[in-house]
Amino acid sequence: MKNENYFTKGDKTVDPPQTFFHLKGAANIWRIIPFLIAALILIPIAVVFSSVFMPANDVWQHLVETTLLTLLINTFWLALGVLTGSALLGVSLAWFTAVYEFPGSRFFSWALLLPLAIPAYVTAFVVLGLFDYTGPIQTNLRTWLGTELPWFPDLYGRSGVILVMTLAFYPYVYLMARNAFLTQGKRLLEVAQSLGLNQRQGFFKVSLPMARPWIAGGLMLTLMETLADFGTVAIFNYDTFTTAIYKAWFGLFSLPAASQLASLLILIVFVVIIAEQQFRIRMRYAETKRSARVDRIALSGWRSSAVACFAASVLFLAFILPIIQLSIWAIQSLMESFDQRYFEFLFHSVLLSAAATLITCFAALLLVYAARLYSDTTTRIAVRIATIGYALPGAVLAVGIFIPVVWVDDLLNAWWLKLFQVEIGFLIQGTLGVMLIAYMTRFLAVGHYPIDSAMQRITRNIDEAAMGFGLTGWSILRRIHLPILKTGIFTAAALVFVDVMKEMPITLMTRPFGWDTLAVRIFALTSEGEWEHAALPAVTLVMAGLVPIILLMRQTDK
Amino acid sequence: MSTLLKINQIQHCYGNHKTFDDLSFDLQKGEIGCLLGPSGCGKTTVLRCIAGFESLTAGQISLNGVAVSDSHFSLPPEQRRIGMVFQDYALFPHLTVAENIGFGLHRSPTQERKQRVIDMLKTIGLIEAADRYPHELSGGQQQRVALARALAPRPDLLLLDEPFSNLDITLRERLSQEVREILKNQQITAILVTHDQGEAFSVADMIGVMHQGKIMQWDTAYNLYHRPANRFVANFIGQGVFLPGKVLDLGMIEMELGVLSKDIYHHCESDQEICPIGSEVEILIRPDDIVYCPESSTQALITHKAFRGAEILYTLKLASGMTVLSLIPSHHDHAIGEKLGIRLEADHVVIFSKALLTYHSNSQFSAWSE
């Protein structure tokens, strides 16, 4: 996560392409590509925004009067709760594993990332199933006590959602903060000590303030995920903007109202995006060299046991317990779930993910090459816009893409009717193509980052050195670029594939009728409380989700 | 003068590997000491033990007569009143220059802290950079800020870990002079760690040459050069060659460049005044011991020359095939392959018993400082 600034390219000259794209006509195409891709993102944003100015219709009026205040309050408390929880868990765990030696510290330093493999909505239904009145915990407590329980925490509510999302999202803060603490190294803490501060004072006066941009960056990612989340809040029946958009569209059948809700959500998201950019810029200034020594301070006695217990219980709650419960359910329901239809869902998921991965990585490669050929300001802005989709909630994108699609469909229909007096029905909406474009806009940043980092390693001098040996055009591409970019492309593909597989709101809202995937299946089953039957698809998603986590772990040092 | 720091037979281990063993030296109040040695000789670890970042496996470190480290006990670094300047300066990137310097004064009242920061900024001549951030400073400026930050809380002892190694050569020389002046003006006791002998000579009063976890000699720069205690120091400090010689009657020594009388040499490795007659010895000849003398009977072949401005360093081959170095004023410019008349002109030389290993004899070496 070191070179996260997309701004600073190796060299900033705007010379005409000196590399292997010598064709004059081709150069112009490369100039346009970033703008075309950026437009794909800007259209849904513009569509959703424009609905702010739409005349208020009845449905919207109804929503404003009945639910809007609740949505705002719910969103506010959810965001506050998840941010607080993730900050506490993420920063403390990052500090312990980066600086101290305690039993299992090496294990925990990578294992604490594992919860990222479980989609939040899976953790959600596992927690609900576990702590339900009929769930194993309450049932066992009742038989053990031989009486009704006088009181049991009610997880169907704000605290439950906050708990689940904190357990699911704290690794973002953990990852960023740990990276910051590791790059600081022990050195600055030693400086603080040589200036008369003890270790605790050193943490609060040096390490924590220095890690602030990273921690804030991690928190902004967490906030984006929280605002974008659909599955978790749907399972908890905790209404936020994403579920309200879904209900307005599929419950009240009002796409305009959904769009107006989406425009409010996008306003909130924009504030977050701007904040995140600011922190990212500050991270660059505060960056220090990674110190060569990674020896950690040994904790002794009760402190080391306390820290180990803390790390273990977080890992247990966020990963081990859900996995155990999922496995039990999956085995129990194996006979019923493991049928023809399971393979159909799996096939749909894999097909969609593979196709989306292909076009996303292709678009990312185009972007990276275009930015390599032209590194002027406008191109760089276009690239940034093109990769902003990671911040847009899937529900917003779904609405923003669907509205213009419906519009084009209607237009085509009208023309056809005028010309041939025949109804052709809808050509575009409800096709996989719409879904794939939505996925690409959402996950382009995920695919762009690893490929872009790999490209940073191919300097212009490398190209020129290759040309000095008489290589040209395609042979440079094949013999120099491809081998260097290979791992970057592979990482990008793995990340996008898994993200699409876990994706819920876009799939749910734009899929062709009856085209169910594993994620959609989980949504359908959990909305009826059938936790056990949702376990097998969930286990499948978790196993896929482990792939990018393993990739990530290989990058972080142990 | 009183002893400020006493290092008594200390030992340190990383796992099973002994970083250093049985290491001792003292430092007087106001004195600047230096640990000089090739990289990997353990000198930085000694510094970290004194600062309290590493613990000892044997021996004792005491400061002002009070033990701060032994094999069972280690006073936390923050309670030692020892300042440290790190090799990479380790300035706090999120604080301004003034905030960096004031960082260690967190217990002083605000007014006093402000005054001290201003004083330190004046001392290092960076008063106008007070509100800048470390990344806006040049390497030399960062170095001075790191020094000021370490000095601000008035530590009893200052430790400098390769403080000039990240700077370019010209800046290195100027800054090392400046640092010495600041330390002397403020009467700071300090220990410097470096692999660069030029740096050690220009900053330190006392220098300890370290090799494989041992201090080979703890002495002044003059004595390290002119009276090396052993072959390693003779090799490591300055340039020179060893020429073979034979002990004659009355303690005189005969060698290719002439006969040495008893009063101009001393034996480094033994206390004996006179070596047994007939025993073989080796004499350390520095480049400045050999002077140009056209009418001399000793004619040597020039095999190599390096122009140094005022002088030329000639590598010369003697009739016996032995090689010597000679520093000759550069207006005596001769080409490689020519013969040059030379003469030994030394007030004092050191001799060693003949080396057991043959490769030591007449091995030409150049110093680390090059």
Side-chain angles (χ1 to χ4, degrees):
Chain A
M1 290 241 176
K2 247 188 153 180
N3 289 318
E4 246 186 339
N5 38 51
Y6 299 99
F7 279 133
T8 51
K9 287 275 167 349
D11 41 18
K12 289 197 169 132
T13 46
V14 202
D15 298 338
Q18 294 274 320
T19 52
F20 47 87
F21 298 103
H22 281 306
L23 301 171
K24 275 188 182 153
N28 290 329
I29 295 172
W30 286 108
R31 206 133 181 57
I32 297 166
I33 281 171
F35 297 94
L36 288 178
I37 298 177
L40 270 183
I41 301 265
L42 283 178
I43 290 171
I45 294 177
V47 166
V48 166
F49 253 128
S50 67
S51 67
V52 174
F53 308 105
M54 275 199 300
N57 54 43
D58 292 349
V59 179
W60 177 241
Q61 206 56 47
H62 169 73
L63 284 176
V64 170
E65 280 159 18
T66 54
T67 56
L68 195 58
L69 190 63
T70 321
L71 292 184
L72 286 171
I73 293 173
N74 275 358
T75 306
F76 173 77
W77 284 113
L78 180 65
L80 191 70
V82 176
L83 284 182
T84 314
S86 310
L88 288 177
L89 283 190
V91 174
S92 59
L93 289 171
W95 176 248
F96 292 141
T97 57
V99 176
Y100 292 120
E101 191 84 58
F102 56 92
S105 53
R106 260 146 238 269
F107 164 75
F108 284 119
S109 64
W110 59 264
L112 284 167
L113 288 172
L114 284 172
L116 276 182
I118 312 182
Y121 56 79
V122 170
T123 317
F125 83 74
V126 172
V127 165
L128 277 184
L130 264 172
F131 293 91
D132 205 28
Y133 183 79
T134 55
I137 290 178
Q138 288 211 49
T139 315
N140 281 330
L141 274 178
R142 270 198 303 272
T143 40
W144 185 56
L145 292 170
T147 165
E148 283 294 308
L149 298 173
W151 177 85
F152 197 79
D154 179 21
L155 287 173
Y156 266 105
R158 191 162 285 153
S159 50
V161 196
I162 290 174
L163 174 76
V164 165
M165 287 207 190
T166 300
L167 289 178
F169 297 148
Y170 83 85
Y172 291 109
V173 183
Y174 169 76
L175 192 63
M176 299 282 275
R178 194 175 124 79
N179 199 37
F181 292 139
L182 280 179
T183 48
Q184 285 174 18
K186 228 171 74 176
R187 174 57 48 85
L188 288 166
L189 209 60
E190 287 180 354
V191 177
Q193 279 186 294
S194 76
L195 293 170
L197 271 68
N198 63 30
Q199 279 181 19
R200 195 177 46 82
Q201 289 169 321
F203 172 71
F204 284 107
K205 286 195 75 175
V206 178
S207 304
L208 198 59
M210 271 185 58
R212 215 183 282 142
W214 279 268
I215 294 170
L219 284 174
M220 289 306 111
L221 283 179
T222 306
L223 189 53
M224 283 172 190
E225 290 286 340
T226 307
L227 291 174
D229 177 86
F230 171 79
T232 314
V233 288
I235 288 169
F236 273 88
N237 266 324
Y238 183 84
D239 275 330
T240 62
F241 280 97
T242 54
T243 48
I245 291 169
Y246 178 72
K247 284 178 184 166
W249 187 355
F250 291 90
L252 304 169
F253 302 103
S254 171
L255 201 46
S259 175
Q260 276 162 317
L261 283 169
S263 67
L264 282 184
L265 179 52
I266 221 172
L267 277 178
I268 304 175
V269 168
F270 268 138
V271 176
V272 180
I273 293 177
I274 291 165
E276 200 235 351
Q277 301 291 323
Q278 289 307 311
F279 290 124
R280 208 178 268 199
I281 290 165
R282 276 213 258 147
M283 265 186 245
R284 228 182 310 154
Y285 285 120
E287 190 154 351
T288 51
K289 276 169 268 163
R290 185 178 272 243
S291 56
R293 307 166 78 94
V294 279
D295 49 344
R296 305 172 213 206
I297 302 164
L299 274 182
S300 56
W302 64 272
R303 283 168 217 260
S304 72
S305 338
V307 167
C309 279
F310 174 54
S313 46
V314 173
L315 185 67
F316 180 75
L317 276 180
F319 187 73
I320 299 171
L321 187 64
I323 293 292
I324 292 174
Q325 184 58 60
L326 273 182
S327 316
I328 293 173
W329 278 335
I331 292 165
Q332 279 172 352
S333 65
L334 198 60
M335 286 301 118
E336 304 150 62
S337 321
F338 205 60
D339 56 6
Q340 194 60 43
R341 296 199 58 203
Y342 168 77
F343 283 108
E344 189 189 310
F345 304 137
L346 182 64
F347 172 70
H348 284 168
S349 281
V350 171
L351 182 73
L352 263 185
S353 307
T357 303
L358 207 66
I359 63 164
T360 307
C361 287
F362 184 66
L365 267 173
L366 289 181
L367 264 191
V368 165
Y369 269 104
R372 179 180 171 78
L373 294 177
Y374 296 97
S375 45
D376 53 314
T377 319
T378 46
T379 306
R380 272 185 281 134
I381 290 174
V383 170
R384 280 201 77 68
I385 293 174
T387 53
I388 211 82
Y390 68 95
L392 299 180
V396 172
L397 265 179
V399 172
I401 285 178
F402 211 78
I403 291 174
V405 163
V406 170
W407 184 73
V408 172
D409 254 354
D410 286 345
L411 205 67
L412 284 177
N413 246 326
W415 281 347
W416 202 264
L417 200 62
K418 216 185 255 172
L419 284 173
F420 305 104
Q421 270 74 40
V422 191
E423 291 236 17
I424 48 160
F426 298 122
L427 286 178
I428 317 174
Q429 54 185 282
T431 62
L432 293 183
V434 177
M435 296 176 84
L436 292 180
I437 289 177
Y439 287 143
M440 193 202 79
T441 47
R442 173 99 167 94
F443 297 120
L444 188 55
V446 175
H448 179 263
Y449 177 64
I451 298 178
D452 189 55
S453 319
M455 187 58 106
Q456 304 283 333
R457 287 168 33 209
I458 313 178
T459 61
R460 223 162 251 227
N461 289 344
I462 290 182
D463 277 355
E464 279 162 14
M467 283 192 277
F469 289 114
L471 295 188
T472 50
W474 291 106
S475 55
I476 292 184
L477 202 62
R478 193 169 51 81
R479 291 181 55 187
I480 312 282
H481 288 205
L482 213 56
I484 298 179
L485 293 180
K486 204 170 53 191
T487 44
I489 296 173
F490 175 72
T491 309
L495 292 175
V496 174
F497 188 91
V498 173
D499 264 349
V500 174
M501 220 163 151
K502 296 193 297 192
E503 207 286 333
M504 192 183 269
I506 294 179
T507 320
L508 196 62
M509 296 187 207
T510 59
R511 80 204 139 112
F513 183 74
W515 175 279
D516 283 357
T517 65
L518 291 172
V520 171
R521 184 76 184 144
I522 292 174
F523 174 76
L525 287 169
T526 51
S527 30
E528 281 153 37
E530 291 195 51
W531 321 125
E532 287 154 59
H533 293 114
L536 187 62
V539 167
T540 317
L541 289 186
V542 171
M543 293 214 288
L546 281 172
V547 173
I549 304 305
I550 291 165
L551 287 177
L552 191 67
M553 282 170 186
R554 288 218 307 227
Q555 284 170 15
T556 54
D557 72 27
K558 309 262 160 80
Chain B
M1 280 216 282
S2 60
T3 305
L4 181 93
L5 176 74
K6 191 164 179 60
I7 307 270
N8 193 9
Q9 298 182 313
I10 58 170
Q11 183 199 57
H12 175 270
C13 302
Y14 275 124
N16 290 326
H17 171 73
K18 264 186 210 161
T19 324
F20 52 79
D21 193 9
D22 195 20
L23 194 110
S24 307
F25 65 89
D26 293 353
L27 202 63
Q28 307 301 316
K29 212 171 208 133
E31 208 171 40
I32 302 175
C34 173
L35 292 173
L36 172 68
S39 48
C41 71
K43 55 195 191 303
T44 296
T45 313
V46 177
L47 217 58
R48 291 174 58 80
C49 286
I50 299 171
F53 297 130
E54 305 279 344
S55 36
L56 300 178
T57 44
Q60 194 185 53
I61 298 175
S62 33
L63 204 61
N64 284 320
V66 183
V68 292
S69 278
D70 59 31
S71 54
H72 318 290
F73 164 77
S74 180
L75 189 72
E78 64 268 21
Q79 292 169 27
R80 295 193 176 201
R81 299 187 46 78
I82 292 180
M84 185 148 180
V85 177
F86 291 85
Q87 183 172 5
D88 56 2
Y89 318 141
L91 295 176
F92 299 121
H94 63 302
L95 301 180
T96 62
V97 168
E99 286 167 341
N100 261 290
I101 295 174
F103 190 89
L105 303 167
H106 58 285
R107 286 201 194 86
S108 323
T110 318
Q111 199 49 46
E112 206 180 301
R113 181 165 60 207
K114 269 188 188 157
Q115 193 49 51
R116 181 71 180 153
V117 170
I118 291 170
D119 289 347
M120 290 316 298
L121 280 168
K122 278 183 190 152
T123 309
I124 58 168
L126 280 176
I127 194 86
E128 76 289 350
D131 294 325
R132 283 200 232 145
Y133 282 89
H135 70 265
E136 298 170 295
L137 303 180
S138 69
Q141 289 172 325
Q142 288 184 13
Q143 212 277 336
R144 279 182 275 178
V145 174
L147 180 70
R149 180 179 68 179
L151 289 179
R154 302 177 206 274
D156 292 337
L157 175 66
L158 181 72
L159 307 176
L160 303 120
D161 183 8
E162 301 260 6
F164 309 109
S165 64
N166 284 340
L167 305 170
D168 61 63
I169 293 173
T170 45
L171 198 60
R172 207 182 286 182
E173 279 172 17
R174 210 185 70 212
L175 257 176
S176 56
Q177 299 285 351
E178 265 181 50
V179 167
R180 184 179 163 87
E181 267 164 44
I182 292 172
L183 295 182
K184 283 295 168 192
N185 283 340
Q186 312 218 347
Q187 295 167 351
I188 307 282
T189 316
I191 300 179
L192 169 84
V193 152
T194 182
H195 62 267
D196 182 322
Q197 40 183 291
E199 225 168 272
F201 294 161
S202 63
V203 179
D205 302 316
M206 294 295 283
I207 298 165
V209 177
M210 267 190 84
H211 177 55
Q212 292 179 340
K214 296 227 179 316
I215 289 186
M216 309 305 285
Q217 187 174 357
W218 177 262
D219 220 326
T220 60
Y222 182 91
N223 283 347
L224 289 179
Y225 188 82
H226 291 288
R227 292 174 172 266
N230 51 49
R231 217 173 262 273
F232 178 81
V233 176
N235 258 309
F236 188 72
I237 303 289
Q239 288 177 300
V241 294
F242 292 103
L243 287 182
K246 204 170 196 172
V247 181
L248 304 174
D249 212 6
L250 298 169
M252 300 218 283
I253 292 176
E254 185 189 33
M255 60 181 294
E256 196 173 355
L257 296 170
V259 176
L260 302 174
S261 66
K262 186 172 159 280
D263 52 331
I264 73 155
Y265 73 84
H266 86 278
H267 196 293
C268 279
E269 288 155 325
S270 73
D271 299 329
Q272 296 164 273
E273 281 297 306
I274 300 167
C275 301
I277 293 171
S279 61
E280 295 195 3
V281 293
E282 284 185 322
I283 303 107
L284 173 66
I285 303 293
R286 302 285 192 190
D288 50 315
D289 292 335
I290 290 176
V291 297
Y292 179 62
C293 179
E295 54 276 9
S296 164
S297 58
T298 316
Q299 296 285 318
L301 184 73
I302 303 172
T303 60
H304 225 285
K305 64 186 274 196
F307 188 77
R308 294 254 172 114
E311 293 111 3
I312 296 176
L313 180 71
Y314 286 104
T315 307
L316 304 167
K317 201 172 183 181
L318 302 175
S320 64
M322 290 286 168
T323 302
V324 290
L325 297 171
S326 173
L327 213 48
I328 291 171
S330 64
H331 53 266
H332 299 297
D333 190 13
H334 297 271
I336 292 173
E338 281 181 40
K339 288 228 170 179
L340 209 61
I342 52 168
R343 178 165 57 82
L344 182 69
E345 191 185 276
D347 299 335
H348 191 93
V349 293
V350 288
I351 63 166
F352 296 85
S353 302
K354 189 165 172 61
L356 294 172
L357 297 169
T358 45
Y359 68 78
H360 259 309
S361 62
N362 199 244
S363 60
Q364 186 209 323
F365 49 81
S366 60
W368 276 75
S369 63
E370 289 300 294

